[in-house]
Structures are given as C-alpha cells and as structure tokens.
Amino acid sequence: MTSFDDYVKWRRLFHQYPEVSDYEYETTKKIRTILESYDIKILDLPLDTGLVAEVGQGEQFIAVRTDIDALPIIEQVEHDFKSTAEGVMHACGHDIHMASILAVAIKLKAMETQLNGRVRIIFQPAEEIAHGAYSITNTGALEGVKAVLGYHNYPSLAVGEFAIKQGTVTSAVDRFEITIHGKGAHAAKPEQGNDPTIVLGQLITSIQSIVSRNLSAFDQGVVTIGEVSSGNTWNVIADNAYVQGTVRTFDAEVQHLIEQRLQQICDGLAQTFDVEIELTYHKLPGAVVNDEQLTQDAIDVARNVGYNVTIMDKPLTIGEDFSGFSNQYPSVFAFIGSDSMYDLHHPKYDPNEEILRLVPDYFVAFVQKLLNE
Ligand SMILES: [Zn+2]
Ligand SMILES: [Zn+2]
C-alpha cells in the first residue's frame, strides 16, 4: 500500500522536474511508471503527453482529473527539491494535483473488485494554455461518463478548507488583438495619410461602452485593454496602431455578445475613418460550470471525510480549462486549501504538502458514492 510519505515523495519528484504545457514527456513517463508498478491499466489513446488510466469493471464509469503541466517561471523558493529545469516551475501546484490523484488511482486499484463500475483517471496535459482538456475529450475516452471530478489547490485557504459552489465557478478568459491599418504621412500633412492613432483613441473609449451600455445590470463581464501602441516619434503619422486586452465572462451568451460588439465597433470605426481594422479574438478556457446535484454530493462527501466546507458566494475571475470537461459532461470542480503565503503563478508559491492527506480520501469516497447510486 501507499502512504502520505509516498505522495510527498511523488510531489517532490514532479516538482524537481517540471515541464511546460505540451512538453510533459518525462512527466508522463514518470506517471506511467508509477501506475504500472501498481499494475494499473493505461488506455491506448493517441496522446503525445498525458494519459488516461482505468480501474474497476462494468459499464458505468466516473472520471477523476488532474493536470500535469508547469509554468515558464523562475522558482524563488529554496528547498532541496527545487526545480532543476531552468525557468520552469510547478507554480500552480499541478505537482500536488498529480501526486494526490496518483494516490486516488492506487487506492481505487486496491479495492478494484469491490468497485461497482469503472473509474478513468485523467492525467491531462496543457492546462495552462487551455487546450489539454480537449486533447483528452477528442480521444472519445469520456463518451458516456457519468461524472467528471476535479479540483484545484487554493493558496489562500488553509489546509482542511474546501470551497465550492454550484453553477459557474471560474470565468471564461479570452484575449483580443486589434490592428488598425492606416496610412502614414508627415505629421504636418495629415490630409495625405490616414491616421490610425485617432482611430485608436476612439476605439479605446468605444470598447469601454460594451460593459456599461450593452450588458444588462444583471450580467457580468470585464473588458480590459492591457496594451496599446502606435507610432515611433513626434513628427510622423504612424502606419498602424495595435491594441490587445482580455475579456472575462461567466456566461456563454455574455461572452458571445462582447465578442460580437467588439467586431461591430471595429467594423464601424473602420468605415468611419476609412481604415482597415483587424480583430483577432482568442477563446482561451471557458467558464467551469458545476452540476447542481454533483455539487451537493461533493459537499456531503467533503464534510464526511473531514473538510470544513464553505459555499462560495461568487465565481473566481481566474481561468481553468476543466471547462473543457464541464461544458460536455456533468462535472464538479472544488477548491481545496493549500495554504501558501504566495499565490498561484507566483515564483514564491509554496503549498503546504499536508493538503495531500485528505484529497485522496475525498475522491475515493466520491467515486464510491457515485458508483453505488
Ligand atoms: Zn495555473
Ligand atoms: Zn492550475
């Protein structure tokens, strides 16, 4: 059998050898080796990185998901298992997630003959760049799944704390880029050019009308412009101007409305000022939406295994590509305390490994409950 010490050992191993999104080759090998040493079946799927393991037997099945990728961040925490990969760090705690979900796989394997169904354990690549969930769902490995269960460690919650809500729990994160193609000229002869900087000014204020004038008071969204650029010097009219920013929403209709309004504003200004405006809208992870019944089940199970459960009053504005599962299958995603002074994605992020004690119990109990319904 395995124990907490093994979970810590695995977590530190993953921590020491982090790999960025889509390059989790050695990480996948390590996971495979550990699973195989416990005789756990790994599905034969066309995945470059990441894998799906399976335990149990029978028709119905549940999925449990962990992510496996790290971030391009230079670690600033001094411990003897510090990252050995230059400029790469498990700063989102996916090392914690992997170790705990490995423990789930092994615990379930040990009770395999008593399981009233199957459990597919997903080790998902490329969460941070928001397409890993789709690389798993595109294999068809989740067709017919009864429920998909997942979690993220949460630094501002103490170990033993568990936070959840039904419905939307994280925001959709989109990025937009706008290029205004004008016509440069001498600053003294504006009539010979087509000044993109003037259009840029109009664009910035027009975009800010979307949330204030197009959204209902009952809907929520954020539109932020994070970067603008135009021109190089004082006495020349620039050729082009560039804007990029982000849209955060909690509802697919609102997301669609904002994207549509951005396009309309660009088209309208292009006509007004006789310039070409090019909008590129990148949809990153969608909003994670928790199933109502599964959320209630998660709360019951979490309390039973000893968590102090808090019901969140609003969703978080972070993105999480578990949405790739929750928008296709009944799913539930929880936030579990990891008690780090520094937040996720911070070079000094340093979660408390004590989180590894209860997480496996939660998922094992949850799976059993769902399979026995
Ligand atoms: Zn992250
Ligand atoms: Zn993460």
Side-chain angles (χ1 to χ4, degrees):
M1 258 323 259
T2 53
S3 66
F4 175 70
D5 293 345
D6 295 306
Y7 316 158
V8 170
K9 191 180 73 192
W10 297 330
R11 184 262 158 160
R12 293 183 179 188
L13 177 71
F14 292 129
H15 193 87
Q16 227 174 336
Y17 302 100
E19 293 172 300
V20 294
S21 310
D22 278 338
Y23 292 88
E24 311 94 335
Y25 295 101
E26 295 305 316
T27 305
T28 304
K29 271 190 211 161
K30 289 184 182 76
I31 296 165
R32 184 177 281 274
T33 304
I34 296 169
L35 290 168
E36 285 176 347
S37 73
Y38 288 88
D39 213 17
I40 293 171
K41 178 172 140 190
I42 295 164
L43 302 186
D44 189 13
L45 297 172
L47 290 169
D48 283 339
T49 56
L51 59 83
V52 180
E54 184 180 82
V55 295
Q57 60 282 304
E59 268 306 298
Q60 61 164 349
F61 77 101
I62 310 287
V64 178
R65 173 270 206 177
T66 172
D67 33 22
I68 68 172
D69 52 337
L71 287 156
I73 290 178
I74 301 168
E75 178 162 29
Q76 287 178 24
V77 189
E78 292 306 327
H79 39 45
D80 57 9
F81 53 96
K82 190 172 176 173
S83 168
T84 58
E86 203 171 327
V88 185
M89 175 190 178
H90 266 297
C92 205
H94 299 181
D95 50 348
I96 292 276
H97 301 170
M98 281 187 269
S100 61
I101 301 304
L102 272 171
V104 173
I106 292 160
K107 278 171 180 273
L108 289 169
K109 179 69 183 174
M111 57 174 75
E112 189 167 37
T113 52
Q114 294 117 279
L115 284 179
N116 188 24
R118 288 171 296 139
V119 186
R120 289 196 163 167
I121 299 124
I122 303 164
F123 292 86
Q124 179 215 300
E127 190 284 324
E128 297 291 357
I129 56 171
H131 67 233
Y134 292 110
S135 71
I136 299 287
T137 56
N138 287 343
T139 65
L142 294 180
E143 281 315 310
V145 70
K146 199 172 165 186
V148 186
L149 318 179
Y151 86 105
H152 209 291
N153 76 92
Y154 209 62
S156 60
L157 294 175
V159 169
E161 296 289 330
F162 183 105
I164 198 164
K165 71 182 278 295
Q166 69 171 60
T168 304
V169 278
T170 65
S171 80
V173 175
D174 300 335
R175 171 182 167 214
F176 62 86
E177 293 179 275
I178 299 170
T179 307
I180 304 163
H181 301 280
K183 188 175 165 219
H186 192 295
K189 299 172 184 172
E191 76 283 4
Q192 293 178 1
N194 220 336
D195 191 350
T197 308
I198 298 297
V199 188
L200 177 68
Q202 299 279 345
L203 188 71
I204 293 168
T205 42
S206 304
I207 285 175
Q208 291 313 315
S209 73
I210 300 176
V211 172
S212 70
R213 301 292 82 180
N214 301 131
L215 286 200
S216 147
F218 301 102
D219 288 328
Q220 290 147 342
V222 173
V223 180
T224 294
I225 293 170
E227 183 187 351
V228 296
S229 58
S230 172
N232 299 308
T233 188
W234 66 283
N235 54 359
V236 175
I237 290 174
D239 275 317
N240 299 311
Y242 174 79
V243 179
Q244 70 163 334
T246 184
V247 174
R248 306 283 163 122
T249 50
F250 304 97
D251 177 282
E253 266 177 52
V254 174
Q255 182 186 28
H256 179 69
L257 173 80
I258 294 178
E259 182 185 357
Q260 202 180 27
R261 286 297 296 141
L262 278 172
Q263 187 64 60
Q264 288 168 344
I265 288 169
C266 289
D267 293 346
L269 287 175
Q271 207 176 16
T272 307
F273 292 97
D274 193 23
V275 290
E276 242 181 75
I277 304 184
E278 200 185 324
L279 166 71
T280 313
Y281 196 89
H282 309 271
K283 281 203 170 128
L284 299 171
V288 173
V289 180
N290 278 343
D291 176 86
E292 186 178 345
Q293 182 56 50
L294 287 172
T295 304
Q296 195 48 56
D297 292 340
I299 293 167
D300 295 343
V301 172
R303 284 197 177 124
N304 280 340
V305 301
Y307 279 113
N308 182 34
V309 177
T310 308
I311 311 298
M312 298 154 64
D313 56 357
K314 51 181 188 293
L316 304 173
T317 53
I318 59 165
E320 161 61 59
D321 100 332
F322 188 80
S323 55
F325 302 108
S326 79
N327 65 16
Q328 294 189 61
Y329 307 106
S331 302
V332 65
F333 194 79
F335 297 93
I336 300 183
S338 58
D339 196 17
S340 164
M341 192 143 76
Y342 294 92
D343 204 357
L344 302 170
H345 294 205
H346 193 284
K348 289 184 177 167
Y349 163 76
D350 187 17
N352 184 338
E353 290 171 331
E354 288 293 312
I355 181 180
L356 292 167
R357 287 192 194 276
L358 268 189
V359 171
D361 295 351
Y362 163 72
F363 284 102
V364 169
F366 203 167
V367 161
Q368 283 177 301
K369 176 181 168 62
L370 294 173
L371 288 179
N372 289 329
E373 269 170 0

